[in-house]
């Protein structure tokens, strides 16, 4: 399963959940798979999707907030795991698409093949943390986690793209992304 397949699988399950998409390929694949007003696409700010998602979850406790993150993004801001684990927002679901590389900058390897990010999340205080690699498991886990109280963490192992992704760029300005997301949060 590659990033596109994983993102497409998860977005097909969603209803009105708010989604914070990490910058780079994850935002591009999500925009291509299923653009919706409830998606917040990060154009920059590598590593801060979980921090932004935490703020949205704390200020919108009646809605499930999902963070689409990458292993490279998460490794840029590991401290956010402890903040999420300490504050424990019940509506927070953190999905990390792990291709063991910085996919948006040329596939330089990360260290996610040598450390268990799901164990770090569990140690940081997430109530649920699991690693999966199969599409059928992804569907089952996401359906279950949308019903459970969090914070929850799901590490999804995916393959690297051999070259460039053909996913289009997010065709919205930062102002448009912010405006429609703010409206969707109400």
């Amino acid at each position: 399963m590659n990033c596109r397949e994983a993102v497409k699988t998860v977005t097909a399950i969603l209803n009105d959940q708010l989604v914070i998409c990490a910058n780079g390929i994850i935002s591009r694949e999500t925009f291509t798979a299923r653009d919706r007003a409830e998606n917040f696409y990060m154009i920059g700010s590598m590593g801060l999707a979980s921090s932004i998602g935490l703020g949205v979850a704390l200020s919108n406790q009646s809605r499930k907030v999902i963070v689409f993150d990458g292993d490279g993004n998460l490794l840029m801001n590991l401290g956010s795991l402890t903040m999420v684990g300490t504050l424990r927002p019940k509506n927070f679901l953190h999905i990390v698409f792990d291709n063991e590389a910085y996919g948006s900058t040329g596939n330089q390897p990360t260290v996610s093949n040598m450390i268990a990010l799901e164990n770090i999340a569990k140690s940081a205080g997430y109530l649920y943390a699991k690693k999966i690699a199969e599409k059928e498991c992804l569907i089952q886990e996401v359906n279950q986690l949308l019903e459970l109280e969090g914070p929850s963490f799901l590490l999804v192992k995916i393959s690297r793209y051999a070259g460039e992704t053909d996913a289009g760029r997010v065709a919205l300005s930062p102002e448009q992304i912010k405006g429609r997301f703010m409206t969707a949060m109400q």
Side-chain angles (χ1 to χ4, degrees):
M1 176 168 51
N2 64 28
C3 185
R4 175 165 302 161
E5 294 165 329
V7 166
K8 198 170 182 178
T9 299
V10 175
T11 58
I13 297 170
L14 301 180
N15 294 314
D16 68 339
Q17 298 86 3
L18 301 169
V19 178
I20 309 299
C21 305
N23 63 307
I25 287 177
I26 291 174
S27 275
R28 292 171 61 186
E29 291 291 3
T30 305
F31 182 80
T32 300
R34 187 173 171 209
D35 179 41
R36 33 196 293 275
E38 293 86 359
N39 295 349
F40 182 81
Y41 305 107
M42 294 176 56
I43 305 300
S45 305
M46 184 173 182
L48 296 179
S50 56
S51 298
I52 293 170
L54 176 60
V56 172
L58 293 173
S59 66
N60 253 301
Q61 297 183 16
S62 63
R63 305 268 300 269
K64 187 70 116 183
V65 176
I66 305 169
V67 173
F68 285 179
D69 218 345
D71 54 305
N73 271 285
L74 178 59
L75 289 166
M76 291 284 288
N77 186 20
L78 269 179
S80 70
L81 294 178
T82 60
M83 189 59 73
V84 170
T86 300
L87 296 174
R88 293 195 169 189
K90 294 178 181 178
N91 58 334
F92 190 88
L93 171 56
H94 197 167
I95 299 176
V96 176
F97 302 105
D98 180 6
N99 65 354
E100 302 177 0
Y102 295 97
S104 297
T105 61
N107 279 333
Q108 301 88 353
T110 67
V111 294
S112 67
N113 64 330
M114 295 181 269
I115 58 173
L117 293 170
E118 70 280 9
N119 289 343
I120 295 173
K122 187 72 175 172
S123 294
Y126 280 69
L127 297 181
Y128 182 89
K130 186 172 184 178
K131 176 172 79 175
I132 62 168
E134 302 299 326
K135 182 177 178 179
E136 295 73 27
C137 294
L138 178 59
I139 295 168
Q140 180 181 354
E141 288 291 330
V142 170
N143 278 318
Q144 175 187 330
L145 293 174
L146 289 176
E147 300 300 321
L148 290 179
E149 290 187 351
S152 303
F153 182 96
L154 187 62
L155 185 83
V156 182
K157 295 299 281 187
I158 59 173
S159 60
R160 289 185 201 183
Y161 288 121
E164 289 284 320
T165 177
D166 61 353
R169 300 276 176 186
V170 175
L172 300 167
S173 71
E175 293 80 14
Q176 289 171 315
I177 294 168
K178 174 192 164 198
R180 71 182 202 158
F181 186 75
M182 297 290 286
T183 300
M185 283 198 312
Q186 299 171 359

